[in-house]
Amino acid sequence: MKLKAYISLFLIVVSTSFVAAQVKFEAKVSKTKLGINERLRIDFEMNTDGDNFSPPSFSDFTVVGGPNQSVSHSWVNGVRSFTKTYSYFLAPKKTGSITINQATIEIEDEIYKTSPVTVQITSAVSRPNDPDNAESVADDNLHLIAEISKGNPYLNEAVTVVYKLYVSEDIGVSTFREIDSPKYNDFWSQNINLKGNKIQNTQFNGRPYRYLVIKQVVLYPQKTGKLEIEPLSLDVTVEVPSNRRDFFGGRMMSQVHKTVSAGSKSLQVKPLPEHGKPENFAGAVGNFDFKMTTSKTELNATESLQARLEVKGNGNLKLFQLPKLTLPSALEVYEPEHTQNIRTTIDGMQGGIADSYTIVPQFKGKYPIPNVEFSYFDLKTESYKTISSGDLVIDVLEGPTNSTPTDSNIATVGEGKQRVIMNNDQFAFVKSDANLKPITSKPFFNSSWYWSSLLLPLLAIPLAMVFRKKKAERRADVQGNRIRKADKLARRYLSEARKSLGQKEAFYIALEKALHNYLKAKLHIETSDFSKDRIKELLLKRQVEESVINDFVTILDSCELARYTPFSEVTMQHDYDKAAKTISIIDKQIR
């Protein structure tokens, strides 16, 4: 029995080892040594189907294709053969020895790993002209060219770079993408939109080619000397005809990935000449027109006008500042509003820029706006030109006269500005209410207002019930209603006394009535009980301080004496304030 058990255990171990030995998962590369301009194919191959495949990190490569998955089944002499492959196409990023790490996959609940693979990357290699080699064919028939409009421009002169992909009639291109984009250091750059770009036919190296404009950029150099333009690189999927034929006899295409680069370009940027450079030159380069306009030349003081300095033309419109407007110091001028209307085309920037100043004269008179000059470097004549705006006069027809000794002082905007004299008509021309309305309106149904209108009546029902109950209780409280009525009368009479200040008899009659009604409300006594001793007795019982009671009685005495003695308005105001204060104190102390 023991012998049988040992034999069974031995067979299980052997069979398990055999099965384990049958599983293969390995990495295979197309070559172990290649140039940096070549492509590497790596296949992760297994002989048993698995799940959860995880490739290595191709950090030193650019993945230009894949993963491509293929499965193969075959039967030979009754033996089944299975192969599953994950393929990647890689472009090396650097030279030297590069190790591709392990890939993993799960097969029958076990994790299998490939062995690391090391490849040697050399500098760029030249391939032999092999007509049967698809990569060689792609090299000979695919080119990326950067065309530069001018190699030695002036500082701030527009330079256009057009990237064209040339493809011969012997191959085809299915897709392409940028893998290295130029940074354009030391340039102001603007990409040009390529809407409606079409493939065109041309001659290249004496052969018929097709080309497509990939990218257009306008550059304005910001430094002089030799400046480098970084290369643009593309990863292109190329379809090359092979010697194989399909079922109908047509030639089959083989697909290869190709990296093409336009190469780095250099410009020699010339400085602008120093000879003849105006003092007010601010860096404008191109061909421009300049003018100064005002919205009006006649107005009244405290009204406003707009003065506009405007430059139009072709050139580096975004890269310089307009000259400053100078005005007499008697005119108030605000910081200008800068506006641009510029479009960038293949020929550079075109359009205009403007500064609009708001000017408010404060005094009557005539005020000159001095001539403003704008200088620029003309690329056609390679010389400096200056445009003058001419003098303008602002005539202020009505307003106060300026009493300062000098009225024609000139001040640059932002320096020594005069204080604005404000009045209600300062900006009467500005529309304060825009009355804007939404273009699209939301439907009332299912809106917040819709549900609020449905729910609010339901929520108001319990509130109405509470209000009705409180109102019934208030009506049933006869004593409380009488007190509230007396308080109301006291407040009314006290307010009438205030209105009668300055009219002795009417004031003291109203004040006395207010005091009596207050005592009616608080002490529950009738008019027949209004003796001073009775008032003191009742207030002392209600724990009011004696000094406060004496003040109250003193006010009553003043009301009686006022009919027979003269009282000033100051005395009446004093008695009113004292009555209001005493009533407030009694109301706090009474129990």
Side-chain angles (χ1 to χ4, degrees):
M1 293 298 292
K2 291 183 178 180
L3 181 60
K4 291 182 178 180
Y6 287 135
I7 293 173
S8 299
L9 180 61
F10 175 75
L11 292 176
I12 291 172
V13 172
V14 171
S15 61
T16 303
S17 302
F18 180 78
V19 172
Q22 295 301 308
V23 176
K24 290 184 180 181
F25 180 49
E26 54 187 349
K28 298 179 179 180
V29 293
S30 58
K31 57 182 72 175
T32 58
K33 186 177 181 180
L34 65 154
I36 195 171
N37 60 334
E38 294 183 291
R39 295 293 173 269
L40 176 69
R41 172 172 175 166
I42 182 168
D43 296 330
F44 299 97
E45 188 176 292
M46 66 203 75
N47 63 350
T48 304
D49 196 6
D51 298 313
N52 301 323
F53 172 72
S54 178
S57 172
F58 301 113
S59 57
D60 295 324
F61 295 88
T62 300
V63 179
V64 296
N68 299 327
Q69 180 179 329
S70 62
V71 177
S72 173
H73 294 270
S74 63
W75 291 86
V76 180
N77 297 325
V79 178
R80 175 181 175 272
S81 174
F82 173 86
T83 303
K84 184 177 182 180
T85 305
Y86 291 94
S87 300
Y88 290 84
F89 295 90
L90 309 176
K93 295 180 179 179
K94 63 180 183 179
T95 59
S97 179
I98 298 178
T99 299
I100 302 174
N101 294 325
Q102 297 172 318
T104 62
I105 196 166
E106 182 179 343
I107 300 175
E108 297 179 356
D109 298 329
E110 294 286 338
I111 301 298
Y112 291 84
K113 299 181 180 180
T114 62
S115 299
V117 178
T118 301
V119 294
Q120 190 69 29
I121 309 299
T122 65
S123 56
V125 298
S126 58
R127 300 187 183 93
N129 189 13
D130 183 2
D132 296 328
N133 187 308
E135 292 189 358
S136 298
V137 173
D139 281 341
D140 294 337
N141 294 274
L142 185 69
H143 310 278
L144 180 62
I145 305 297
E147 298 179 355
I148 300 177
S149 60
K150 193 170 186 179
N152 58 337
Y154 278 103
L155 182 70
N156 268 316
E157 181 182 358
V159 177
T160 304
V161 183
V162 180
Y163 298 93
K164 295 181 179 180
L165 182 64
Y166 287 85
V167 183
S168 76
E169 296 181 348
D170 298 331
I171 62 172
V173 171
S174 56
T175 59
F176 63 86
R177 64 183 180 89
E178 289 189 21
I179 54 176
D180 288 321
S181 298
K183 300 297 187 298
Y184 304 117
N185 297 325
D186 302 325
F187 295 91
W188 183 96
S189 62
Q190 176 71 54
N191 289 325
I192 307 299
N193 196 350
L194 292 174
K195 286 185 177 179
N197 193 20
K198 296 181 180 180
I199 297 175
Q200 302 182 48
N201 295 321
T202 186
Q203 292 286 323
F204 184 77
N205 292 335
R207 296 170 52 196
Y209 267 76
R210 298 157 295 168
Y211 77 88
L212 178 69
V213 176
I214 303 299
K215 189 174 185 178
Q216 290 179 341
V217 185
V218 173
L219 305 177
Y220 285 87
Q222 301 299 294
K223 290 173 60 177
T224 59
K226 185 177 182 181
L227 301 183
E228 294 291 332
I229 300 177
E230 296 180 358
L232 171 69
S233 298
L234 300 178
D235 176 66
V236 186
T237 303
V238 184
E239 295 181 347
V240 180
S242 66
N243 293 327
R244 295 178 297 166
R245 302 282 178 170
D246 58 18
F247 181 78
F248 299 98
R251 176 169 290 186
M252 298 180 65
M253 308 293 285
S254 61
Q255 193 176 83
V256 296
H257 291 271
K258 170 70 176 173
T259 298
V260 289
S261 175
S264 61
K265 303 291 182 180
S266 61
L267 299 179
Q268 191 66 39
V269 181
K270 299 180 291 186
L272 297 176
E274 293 295 328
H275 176 70
K277 180 185 290 187
E279 292 183 0
N280 64 345
F281 178 71
V285 177
N287 184 20
F288 303 105
D289 291 325
F290 172 71
K291 65 179 180 179
M292 177 177 63
T293 57
T294 58
S295 58
K296 59 181 79 171
T297 56
E298 294 183 351
L299 73 164
N300 297 327
T302 72
E303 293 181 353
S304 65
L305 62 92
Q306 301 292 320
R308 181 181 176 89
L309 300 179
E310 185 176 15
V311 170
K312 289 184 177 181
N314 303 329
N316 59 334
L317 288 163
K318 295 183 180 180
L319 304 176
F320 64 85
Q321 292 184 342
L322 289 169
K324 295 293 184 181
L325 182 65
T326 56
L327 294 171
S329 58
L331 297 178
E332 176 66 22
V333 57
Y334 295 87
E335 289 298 326
E337 177 187 359
H338 185 75
T339 56
Q340 296 183 352
N341 182 18
I342 302 173
R343 65 183 185 279
T344 305
T345 66
I346 194 69
D347 297 321
M349 299 185 206
Q350 301 176 1
I353 58 175
D355 283 345
S356 296
Y357 296 83
T358 299
I359 302 172
V360 182
Q362 302 300 311
F363 304 103
K364 179 181 179 180
K366 293 181 180 292
Y367 299 95
I369 298 181
N371 175 57
V372 180
E373 293 184 343
F374 170 72
S375 299
Y376 68 96
F377 182 74
D378 188 359
L379 293 171
K380 293 182 179 179
T381 61
E382 296 188 354
S383 62
Y384 293 97
K385 292 186 178 180
T386 300
I387 304 175
S388 299
S389 65
D391 296 330
L392 292 175
V393 176
I394 304 300
D395 189 4
V396 183
L397 303 177
E398 296 181 3
T401 303
N402 190 0
S403 60
T404 57
T406 58
D407 185 28
S408 60
N409 295 330
I410 304 300
T412 303
V413 176
E415 299 178 0
K417 296 194 294 186
Q418 293 289 102
R419 179 179 177 271
V420 179
I421 302 174
M422 304 298 295
N423 59 45
N424 294 333
D425 298 326
Q426 183 76 12
F427 295 101
F429 64 94
V430 179
K431 187 176 181 181
S432 59
D433 188 5
N435 294 324
L436 299 178
K437 296 181 180 179
I439 298 176
T440 59
S441 59
K442 296 182 179 180
F444 176 70
F445 181 71
N446 273 341
S447 66
S448 57
W449 284 107
Y450 171 81
W451 291 109
S452 298
S453 61
L454 290 180
L455 296 177
L456 284 177
L458 298 177
L459 296 175
I461 292 175
L463 296 176
M465 295 175 64
V466 172
F467 176 79
R468 186 174 181 181
K469 182 178 179 181
K470 292 294 184 182
K471 189 175 182 181
E473 292 176 353
R474 188 182 182 94
R475 287 178 179 175
D477 184 12
V478 179
Q479 183 70 13
N481 288 333
R482 186 176 65 82
I483 295 172
R484 284 188 290 272
K485 184 176 180 181
D487 287 337
K488 185 176 181 181
L489 288 173
R491 287 192 300 269
R492 181 167 66 86
Y493 281 121
L494 201 59
S495 65
E496 289 180 1
R498 183 178 181 84
K499 294 177 183 177
S500 301
L501 280 170
Q503 303 175 19
K504 183 186 69 173
E505 187 173 352
F507 169 78
Y508 282 105
I509 289 173
L511 184 60
E512 187 176 14
K513 286 183 179 181
L515 296 174
H516 286 178
N517 280 286
Y518 175 77
L519 291 177
K520 278 184 179 182
K522 293 297 180 182
L523 302 179
H524 313 301
I525 59 176
E526 298 300 328
T527 307
S528 58
D529 296 329
F530 268 126
S531 65
K532 296 174 183 177
D533 294 334
R534 179 65 174 164
I535 292 172
K536 289 181 179 180
E537 179 184 353
L538 293 175
L539 290 176
L540 285 171
K541 286 182 179 181
R542 302 290 292 272
Q543 300 181 13
V544 179
E545 294 178 1
E546 188 173 358
S547 60
V548 178
I549 298 173
N550 293 333
D551 290 338
F552 189 89
V553 173
T554 302
I555 298 170
L556 288 175
D557 292 337
S558 297
C559 293
E560 293 176 358
L561 293 173
R563 301 173 186 176
Y564 311 105
T565 57
F567 276 74
S568 65
E569 186 172 349
V570 175
T571 306
M572 285 186 280
Q573 181 66 49
H574 173 73
D575 289 339
Y576 176 86
D577 294 338
K578 188 175 181 180
K581 180 180 179 181
T582 304
I583 290 175
S584 176
I585 295 173
I586 292 174
D587 198 65
K588 294 178 181 178
Q589 294 181 358
I590 199 166
R591 298 289 184 269

